[in-house]
Amino acid sequence: MERTKTKKLLVGNPNQLEVDGQIGEDELSYVVMNLPFGCNYSCSKCYREDNKSFDSIDLDKRLEVISQAKDLGARVLCIPGEGEPLTNRDLTMQLIDHANAVGLISILYTNGSFLNPDTIVDLFNKNVTLITSLDSLNPETYLKLTGFKGFDRVMRNLENVRETYKAGNRVRENGLIETRWGVITIINQHNKGEVPDIKRFCGNDAFFICNYPINKGGAKSVWNSYVGTPEDLTELVRTANMYTDTPVAGLSAPTRSGQCIMLNNGITIDTNGNAHACPAMVDTNLGNITNTSVLEIWQKTREYTESKGNPLCLARDIKQYCKKANILSVGEMLI
C-alpha cells in the first residue's frame, strides 16, 4: 500500500506551521511543559513509569517561562502531561489561558476520559488543539492496553469532541483541511490490525498520528509481547507510516524533513523545573528553569542536539528518514 500525502493540517503542528511559513530553521517554536504526575490509566507502554515526578515549580514561574518563550519567538505551548494533564485541570487551564493571552497556540494531549461536554467547549473556546489518545476500538483490547474500564465513556467523549471541534474545521483554497483535533495511536502487536479502522474513525475531522512504542520506563518490561523482535518493530514502523497523517511515523510533531520539532525547535520543562532535550528524554538534564533563563535553556538544548548529530528523534533513536522506501532508520535496523 502506498501512502498518499495527507490533505489535513493540524493547527500548531509543524505541518500547519510550515505551510504558513511560521517555522525558522534555528528558531524556538515550541515550549513543552509537563505537569505533576497524575493519571487514571495504567498503560503498559508508559515511558514515564520509572520517572514519575510529584514536585512542581510554582505557577508564576510557569507563566514566566511561557512569556519568555513567546518573546523568543515561540508559537506553541504543548502540554503532553506527565500522565493525564486533566487530572490537574485548574493548572492546565491557567497555563492555557496565559498562552492564549500572549498569543500562543496551545496543544493538549489527553486520554479523553475527562472530556465532558463543558470541558470540550471550554477547550475549544480557548483555541486549544486537542490530541486524544485512542489505542483500540475494541473494549477488551483497550482495557488490556490502558487498564481503564471506561471505554464506552471515552468513545462518547470523542464523539462529543468531533461534534464541537467540527465548528473549527475549514477547507482552505488549496483544498487542505484545517482542524484542531488530533487522534494519536501507539501501534503494537495487540492493535496493529486496527490501525486502518482508527484512521477511518478520524475521517476528515481528526488528524491521525500513528506512533510506535519507546523502549523506556514500563514499556521495557512488556517489550517482547508488545513489540517483539527487531524485525517485528520494522513491520510496525512500516504499517504506521502507511496510515499516519504526519510526514513520518514515530514522531507526534515532525517537520517535512522528519525532524521532531520538540527536539530541534523546542524546549521541554519538566514538572520540577528541569529542562530535557524532549518530553521523552527524561534522563537528560539541561539545567533548571528556577535558576536558568529560557534563552539559556534554548541554547543548551541546541548545543545538546547538535552534539548528538541533530537526529530526527533521540528517544526512539531515529537517525534518518529514507523517503524512497518511506521508512525510518531506527538505530542500525533500517537502512
Side-chain angles (χ1 to χ4, degrees), residues 7 9 47-48 57 64 69 90 106 127 141 151 190-191 212 221-222 244-245 255 271 273 302 308 314 320 322 333:
K7 295 182 179 180
L9 299 176
Y47 63 81
R48 295 302 305 238
I57 50 177
E64 180 186 333
D90 289 347
S106 292
N127 299 312
T141 305
F151 173 80
H190 304 292
N191 69 0
Y212 53 92
S221 65
V222 296
T244 189
D245 283 329
T255 61
T271 182
R302 293 300 305 134
K308 297 296 181 180
L314 279 170
Q320 63 185 17
C322 178
M333 290 195 313

Side-chain angles (χ1 to χ4, degrees), residues 245-304:
D245 283 329
T246 55
V248 293
L251 297 91
S252 300
T255 61
R256 286 195 194 103
S257 65
Q259 288 190 308
C260 175
I261 197 170
M262 298 185 201
L263 173 65
N264 291 280
N265 296 84
I267 60 168
T268 295
I269 307 301
D270 212 343
T271 182
N272 58 6
N274 285 342
H276 303 311
C278 79
M281 293 296 293
V282 293
D283 49 354
T284 58
N285 188 351
L286 305 177
N288 190 286
I289 203 65
T290 59
N291 53 30
T292 312
S293 70
V294 171
L295 177 59
E296 289 175 290
I297 294 294
W298 168 231
Q299 291 170 336
K300 288 182 178 182
T301 301
R302 293 300 305 134
E303 290 168 2
Y304 180 82

Side-chain angles (χ1 to χ4, degrees), residues 50 94 120 122 137 236 256 311:
D50 297 337
Q94 288 171 312
I120 295 168
D122 199 13
L137 295 171
L236 291 178
R256 286 195 194 103

Side-chain angles (χ1 to χ4, degrees), residues 124 165-171 177-181 204-206:
F124 179 79
Y165 267 69
K166 268 185 181 179
N169 293 355
R170 69 184 183 96
V171 180
I177 301 169
E178 181 182 300
T179 181
R180 288 199 278 124
W181 178 32
N204 286 329
D205 299 319

